[in-house]
Amino acid sequence: MTEAVSETAEVTVLLVDDNPQNLKVLYETLKDKGYRLLIANDGEKALDLAHRHQPEVILLDIMMPELDGYQVCERLKADPVTSDCAVVFLSALDDVQAKVKGFGLGGADYISKPFQAQEVIARVKTHARVIRLERELHERNRQLESDQARILNSISEGIYGLDADGNIVFANPAAALIMRAPTEELIGRNFFELHCTANDDAGTSQHPVRSTCSEGIPENQRDIVMGRPDGTSFPAECRSTPKLDGEELRGAVVVFRDITAELESEQALEDARAIVQEQRDQLAHASRLSTMGEMAAGFAHEVNQPLTAITNYARVAKRLMAKDVLDRDLLQETLDKIEAQSHRASEIIRRIRRFMKKPATGKEILSVPALLEDTRQFAEVDMRNNEGGIEVTVAEGVPDVLADPIQVQQVALNLIRNALEATGSAGASAPVEVSAAMSGSRCVRIEVRDHGTGLPEEAEEKLFLPFYSTKEEGMGIGLSMCRSLIQAQGGDIGFERPEDGGARFFFTLPVAGAEGNPCGAD
């Protein structure tokens, strides 16, 4: 690349000498080397040509009238346009002091008279290559700085450069926009005194950026308060990274943004989620009331049985008390039976009330065997109506889960009732199989297997959608509600087609204490 620069790229060389013969020799020596050659026979012309054409190399005679080579060099180096030119002095002087003076004025090299052609060619070639590369490097650096400035100016986040004491030495336009102040008003101010005094009564000593400036510790904090020069303040996200010169800490770079709108959006989203959850709870409660309505006759029968027994035992007790000789043992036994039947009726009503109430406590740590047994008791009415049975199996070592007991029981009951109905409609006598086992290490899978006719093919994509039902009189709310309730627990729900017929529905629940998303729910 350097060879290409010196040989083929257009390099300008300015020849300056008051002796025409010397100029001719120099010109003839360099004319076929691919350079653009300029000629001046005095200092003023040389300065004018150099300023207009900015040559890479200037071959400059020292001994000239009016302006000598030293004066020309001094003025060349004082002009920003020509200060980077390589000045090579031409002189018959062999005085060390003269050379030192030339180098002190910014000269790059010396060529002694009389000229040696090969020496002139070599020195011009070397200095041309160096100057061209330096200019290319300077241009690249300028371009990088320009690109960097454009990037910093286009970034919407505020950016500060701080020194080790926290003084602002750089501020991009976004910082000025966020702070509602021009950059010149921000630069030179102390970051902590300007922006952080509103954080606490203890001042700025505990502000995270302080650790970055003084100790080189990167920091990232969200929802901190930053003050503006006009006295207002705003919630901000603030990131700071150390500014290093080698291993020496020189301050920090602080990137910040106003998150007022973001926090408002987050709050609005949280409010919307709360509304959705409330509507979900209301719909779930309405679904439970509907289920209870469907099961009302069966529950009335269940409650009526112990009430009838209580009435009969009470009559027995009255007859015993009317006898002349009171059989206390028999009376005690009769009263114990009344009490037992009373507890039985109370337990039935308690279960119904617990199932129908709107949950207020949210998720709890639940025993899976107890949950499924409680649900099985609820389904006894449907067992009688469908002349079926329920078989509950819980694998050994299944841990407790974290879920809303009412909502999970509602899902389990819905799936068991559907399974009983499907099995009864198919005329099968096998019991509905309810089982629980681990799925992975952090998730419990509960399955409900029926022995019905199975599910139609089109059910694959539609079964859990609202208003889709495989029942002639079904509204299609139950399974859609089940999916919503299970997903709210952090679980998943689905179904499978066993090879020997029927259908298997399942849902998963996270093990109590499991972090993250153990069941892979959306």
Side-chain angles (χ1 to χ4, degrees):
M1 178 178 177
T2 56
E3 192 68 25
V5 169
S6 62
E7 295 295 341
T8 62
E10 188 177 62
V11 173
T12 301
V13 179
L14 173 59
L15 312 175
V16 186
D17 199 315
D18 62 333
N19 186 324
Q21 184 61 34
N22 288 341
L23 287 176
K24 182 178 180 181
V25 171
L26 291 172
Y27 185 85
E28 291 295 329
T29 300
L30 298 172
K31 69 176 183 178
D32 296 325
K33 304 305 178 185
Y35 302 126
R36 177 191 179 201
L37 300 176
L38 303 175
I39 296 175
N41 57 9
D42 63 50
E44 290 294 346
K45 288 182 181 178
L47 291 171
D48 178 64
L49 287 172
H51 188 83
R52 285 191 286 123
H53 298 284
Q54 301 166 40
E56 280 77 10
V57 181
I58 301 175
L59 301 182
L60 177 61
D61 185 27
I62 293 179
M63 304 301 292
M64 293 188 300
E66 298 183 8
L67 290 175
D68 64 21
Y70 294 133
Q71 293 171 307
V72 172
C73 180
E74 186 174 16
R75 288 174 60 176
L76 285 170
K77 296 302 177 180
D79 184 351
V81 176
T82 58
S83 61
D84 67 339
C85 298
V87 176
V88 178
F89 286 112
L90 306 173
S91 176
L93 298 175
D94 199 21
D95 185 356
V96 173
Q97 292 299 322
K99 293 182 179 181
V100 169
K101 180 179 179 180
F103 287 129
L105 292 172
D109 204 350
Y110 262 88
I111 297 178
S112 298
K113 296 179 181 179
F115 311 127
Q116 298 295 321
Q118 294 302 317
E119 180 184 7
V120 171
I121 293 170
R123 291 182 185 269
V124 169
K125 179 179 180 180
T126 298
H127 289 295
R129 180 190 299 120
V130 170
I131 296 302
R132 175 54 62 89
L133 291 176
E134 286 181 350
R135 287 182 176 180
E136 288 181 356
L137 180 61
H138 176 75
E139 177 60 25
R140 289 175 185 173
N141 287 338
R142 188 197 65 78
Q143 185 63 42
L144 287 173
E145 291 174 357
S146 177
D147 292 343
Q148 184 183 50
R150 282 196 297 270
I151 291 171
L152 292 176
N153 291 341
S154 65
I155 290 175
S156 60
E157 295 177 315
I159 300 177
Y160 280 147
L162 308 182
D163 63 19
D165 296 322
N167 298 314
I168 300 170
V169 296
F170 169 81
N172 73 335
L177 183 63
I178 295 172
M179 293 304 172
R180 302 174 185 171
T183 54
E184 54 267 23
E185 184 178 328
L186 300 173
I187 294 175
R189 302 282 295 274
N190 184 273
F191 174 86
F192 305 102
E193 295 176 1
L194 181 62
H195 298 312
C196 305
T197 53
N199 284 340
D200 51 51
D201 296 335
T204 64
S205 60
Q206 302 302 317
H207 193 279
V209 177
R210 176 73 70 184
S211 299
T212 308
C213 286
S214 61
E215 302 175 41
I217 302 173
E219 296 280 358
N220 186 357
Q221 282 210 1
R222 190 172 187 272
D223 200 10
I224 64 172
V225 177
M226 291 186 69
R228 294 189 178 97
D230 62 6
T232 61
S233 61
F234 62 94
E237 180 179 14
C238 185
R239 304 189 302 277
S240 59
T241 54
K243 187 169 58 175
L244 300 173
D245 184 1
E247 295 184 0
E248 184 179 357
L249 180 62
R250 293 296 184 89
V253 175
V254 180
V255 181
F256 62 92
R257 61 192 182 95
D258 185 344
I259 60 172
T260 301
E262 187 175 310
L263 291 178
E264 291 174 351
S265 297
E266 289 176 0
Q267 185 59 51
L269 180 59
E270 189 61 33
D271 293 343
R273 285 175 176 166
I275 292 173
V276 169
Q277 184 60 47
E278 182 179 355
Q279 292 176 342
R280 174 187 283 153
D281 291 343
Q282 290 175 350
L283 185 57
H285 183 60
S287 178
R288 287 196 296 277
L289 294 178
S290 174
T291 300
M292 286 298 100
E294 296 174 8
M295 301 169 68
F299 278 116
H301 176 72
E302 280 202 25
V303 174
N304 189 56
Q305 283 184 328
L307 291 179
T308 300
I310 289 171
T311 301
N312 293 333
Y313 288 134
R315 289 172 180 167
V316 170
K318 287 173 67 176
R319 288 198 298 269
L320 290 172
M321 293 177 64
K323 290 183 177 181
D324 294 336
V325 178
L326 181 61
D327 188 341
R328 291 182 176 273
D329 292 338
L330 183 56
L331 179 59
Q332 181 64 48
E333 182 182 346
T334 304
L335 293 176
D336 289 342
K337 291 180 178 179
I338 291 175
E339 183 181 12
Q341 292 298 323
S342 175
H343 286 317
R344 179 185 172 192
S346 176
E347 177 61 22
I348 295 170
I349 294 172
R350 184 188 65 80
R351 281 193 282 117
I352 294 172
R353 292 180 63 184
R354 188 172 73 248
F355 182 76
M356 293 179 64
K357 73 175 182 179
K358 290 186 66 175
T361 57
K363 295 180 181 179
E364 302 174 5
I365 296 177
L366 306 176
S367 165
V368 175
L371 178 72
L372 295 182
E373 176 56 28
D374 208 15
T375 307
R376 188 195 66 78
Q377 293 179 19
F378 267 114
E380 286 181 353
V381 173
D382 288 275
M383 279 195 293
R384 286 194 296 271
N385 291 340
N386 292 281
E387 298 180 352
I390 301 173
E391 184 180 284
V392 177
T393 305
V394 179
E396 185 177 353
V398 169
D400 293 345
V401 296
L402 181 66
D404 184 312
I406 304 301
Q407 294 187 354
V408 173
Q409 192 175 74
Q410 183 173 350
V411 172
L413 181 61
N414 194 324
L415 297 181
I416 290 172
R417 294 183 68 218
N418 286 348
L420 287 168
E421 184 176 341
T423 301
S425 298
S429 58
V432 169
E433 300 165 17
V434 181
S435 61
M438 292 297 295
S439 177
S441 61
R442 302 188 300 156
C443 191
V444 173
R445 171 171 162 136
I446 297 173
E447 299 180 353
V448 178
R449 162 74 190 277
D450 68 49
H451 297 277
T453 57
L455 295 167
E457 290 298 326
E458 66 268 18
E460 194 76 33
E461 300 295 333
K462 301 178 181 179
L463 194 60
F464 291 96
L465 296 178
F467 310 116
Y468 175 82
S469 177
T470 59
K471 304 176 185 178
E472 293 184 2
E473 298 180 358
M475 295 182 63
I477 299 294
L479 289 178
S480 174
M481 173 58 63
C482 287
R483 182 176 67 174
S484 176
L485 295 180
I486 290 300
Q487 288 178 345
Q489 314 306 313
D492 196 10
I493 189 169
F495 73 93
E496 299 168 346
R497 294 185 175 88
E499 294 182 359
D500 54 348
R504 180 189 297 113
F505 283 82
F506 67 88
F507 62 90
T508 57
L509 297 172
V511 170
E515 297 180 355
N517 189 21
C519 296
D522 296 331

